[in-house]
Amino acid sequence: MAPKSKPTIIDVARVAGVSVTTVSRVLNGGKYVSPDKLVAVQEAFDKLDYQPNLHARSLAGERAYMIGLLFDDPRGDYLSGMQRGTLLAGQKAGYHVLVELLGRTGTLAQMKRLISRVRLSGVILTPPVCDHTSLLNTLVRHNIPAVRISPSSDFPGIPSVKIDDYAAATEMTRHLITLGHRKIGFIIGDLEHADARERQRAFNDALAKAGVEARPEWVAEGGYQFSGGLTAARKILSQPDRPTAIFASNDDMAAAVIAVADEMGLRVPTDLSVTGFDDTSLASAVSPALTTIRQPVEQMAMKAVEILLERISGEKPEIETPVMMGTKFVRRGSTGPAPK
Amino acid sequence: MAPKSKPTIIDVARVAGVSVTTVSRVLNGGKYVSPDKLVAVQEAFDKLDYQPNLHARSLAGERAYMIGLLFDDPRGDYLSGMQRGTLLAGQKAGYHVLVELLGRTGTLAQMKRLISRVRLSGVILTPPVCDHTSLLNTLVRHNIPAVRISPSSDFPGIPSVKIDDYAAATEMTRHLITLGHRKIGFIIGDLEHADARERQRAFNDALAKAGVEARPEWVAEGGYQFSGGLTAARKILSQPDRPTAIFASNDDMAAAVIAVADEMGLRVPTDLSVTGFDDTSLASAVSPALTTIRQPVEQMAMKAVEILLERISGEKPEIETPVMMGTKFVRRGSTGPAPK
DNA sequence: ACATTCCCTGAAAGCGTTTTCATATGACGG
DNA sequence: CCGTCATATGAAAACGCTTTCAGGGAATGT
C-alpha cells in the first residue's frame, strides 16, 4: 500500500465542513469555537488520523513545541537520567526534544547558530553548560525561556532546580559520627562546582558541631572522577594515622576508595567505612554496596520541564530562588561501626 | 541591544544582489551558480551571519536536516555512548538530533505520530527498539531511511552496525583456557537478544574445541542485569564442585559475580577469575577491575550516522550484511591463573 | 429602538525556504 | 547559419500552518 500522503489542516477543514481558521483554533485551545463545530473538527481529526505538522506550526506561529536539551556530554548515569526525565515530561506535554552537544569551545557560537536555525520553545540546561554565563545571557537576550538543573552559581532571571547538598552532606556526616567514627576523611569533588563546595562545607560544619577533629591531611581533592578518587584515597590512606571512615563526594570516588582499600588489604566496612553520594548505578554494583545519598535525577528534570512549560505559556511566577528537591539517605554495606 | 531579527534568505539576496533562488542554490550545493555570484552570496552569508531556518527548509523541501534517535530508555553507559556518537557525527554534518522515547507499549502509534508531525531525514535505532518489526515495516513503508545499531535479528532493507560477538566471546573464552582454567562457568545475558545467544554459542564452541568440559550446572541466566547476575552467581558458586572462572556476558553481571564472591569469601582472581563484556565505566570502577571486551560504542553510532547520511543523499550501496565493528580485549585484574 | 459589546467565523496575508517553470546566453556540431 | 544542449538566472508557486482583519449575529445596556 502506498503511504497515503499525510492529511493537512485543509483536509480536516473540508471533512469537518469549516474553515481552516476554525480548525487551527481548535488545535490551539478551541477558544471562540462553537461546541458543534468543535465536535465536528475533532471527529475529523480522528477520522483522518490527523497530526499537525511541527515545522509549519513553528514557521507560522510563536510556538514551537520543541524543547532543547543542552549537554556538554550526555554520558553517565546522572545526565542520562536527566535526559530521561526531560523526555518523559516533554512527551507528556506533546513536546519534542532536540538534544544538542555544546562543546567546551565555541559554545556560544553553537548556541547562536542553533537558535537561529530552529525555533525552540525553551531549553533545559544541564551541568556544566548551565553555568556558562555568556550562554545564559544570550538566552535572556533572545528571550528564550530556560531552566537550569543543578547549577553552580546564581543567575537572575533563569529559574533552576537543585538538591540541598548541604543538608544531605550533613546527614551523611552525622551518620558516620553516629556510628562512632571520630577520624573521618573527606574527598572533595570538583571545586568548580558549587555542590562540591557545599558538601565540603556541610562536612566541616557537622564535624565542628559534633566536636570532632578535622584533620587537613585526611582531606583531598578527587575532581569527581574515579581516577582522581584513586589518587586522593591513596594519599589519605597512606597516612601513618589514618581515618576509620572516608566520605567521598560522589559514588565514583567512593568506588575508588574501596579499590584502594582492597589494594591495601583494608576490609570495608570493618576497617574502613566509605560513603558515596548520588546513588548512581555504580553504588549498588560495587561490593560492598555504597551507603550514599540518592538524588532524584529524573524528577529534577521533570520538574525543570514543568517550570519551563509554565514559563513558555506566559505564566511567570518569577521564581528566583532555586527549587529544591529532596534527597534520600541510602544505607548499604559500605559503612559500619568504627573499629575499636 | 534588541535581538535584531534574524536575517532571512531575502536579506541575503538583497545584500548579494541576486535573487532568492540563487541564494537557495548556493545553500544547496551551488550547482548552476556562476563563480562571482557564488562568492557574492557567501560574503553576504558572512556579513549577515545568516543561518537558514530549519523549519522553513523542512516545510518547503525534501530535506530535513534532522535525524531521529530512537530509544526505549536512554540510560546506561552503552546507550548514552551511542547518543554521544550520534550527536557528534550528526553535528559534524550539520544535522540536528531529535531524541524520542518509544515506550514498551504503543511504540508503533508513537512512531507514526512522530513522523507525521516532524519531517525526519532518517532515524537511528538503538536496541531494543531496533528489533521492533512492525516499527521497521512502518519506516520502510514511509520510505524513511534508517540504520539499526546492534540489532538482534535480521531485517532486509535496513542496514545495521554491530560487533562480532562470536569472535569476541571466543577470544575471551580462550583467554580463560590459556590461564589454565578447566572449570569455567558462564552467565547468559538476555536470551531475547541475539548477542546473548552468540556469546554463549562462542563460549560453548571454544570449550568444545579445546576439549574442556562444559557443565550445565555452571551455566545460568542473568538477563544482563546486576540483580540477575547476583542470582546466577549464587546458583553457580553454591555448587559443591565450583568453577574456577566465570565468564559473565556483560560487566554488570560480572560485577555481581564479584559481589557474590566477596560475600562467600572467595578472592578474585586468586580463587575465582571473572570476566565481563562491554567495558562500561563499571568495569574499571569495580575492584578488582574487570577483564572485559571493549565495544566501540561511540564509533558504532558514528558509523551508523555515516551510513544513514549516505542513504539520505541517495547513494544506496544496498548493504544488506551488517557492518561489523572491531572489539578490543581488555585485560585487567579480575582474571588470573587457575588455582592448583 | 439604537449603540455597544461579545462570541463566532472565514478570507487572506504571511512565515522562510525549495522547486518548478520560463527565459537567456554561449558553445557546439553539422 | 541554425537546431541542440548545458549553464545561469529569476519570478512565482507551493509547503502547512497561525494570525490579522473584517464582518455577522446575538445579547446587553440605555
Side-chain angles (χ1 to χ4, degrees), chain B residues 9 24 28 50 57 60-61 63:
Chain B
I9 199 176
S24 175
N28 295 288
Y50 169 79
R57 300 186 91 172
R63 284 155 299 235

Side-chain angles (χ1 to χ4, degrees), chain A residues 75, chain B residues 77-86 88-89 124 126-127 148-150 160-165 167-168 171 199 251 277-281 292-306 323-330:
Chain A
R75 291 175 300 181
Chain B
D77 262 40
Y78 188 71
L79 292 168
S80 60
M82 294 201 162
Q83 167 155 196
R84 184 157 190 275
T86 305
L88 249 24
I124 299 286
T126 61
R148 307 195 295 155
I149 303 185
S150 285
S160 58
V161 174
K162 61 192 305 187
I163 59 161
D164 189 342
D165 285 283
E171 184 173 6
R199 291 172 198 181
D251 291 342
F277 206 108
D278 289 351
D279 196 23
T280 57
S281 64
T292 188
I293 298 285
R294 176 172 310 155
Q295 287 208 44
V297 194
E298 272 182 39
Q299 285 87 328
M300 290 171 75
M302 303 207 299
K303 184 72 189 174
V305 171
E306 189 186 303
V323 173
M324 291 287 188
M325 303 289 287
T327 55
K328 190 166 180 304
F329 171 82
V330 181

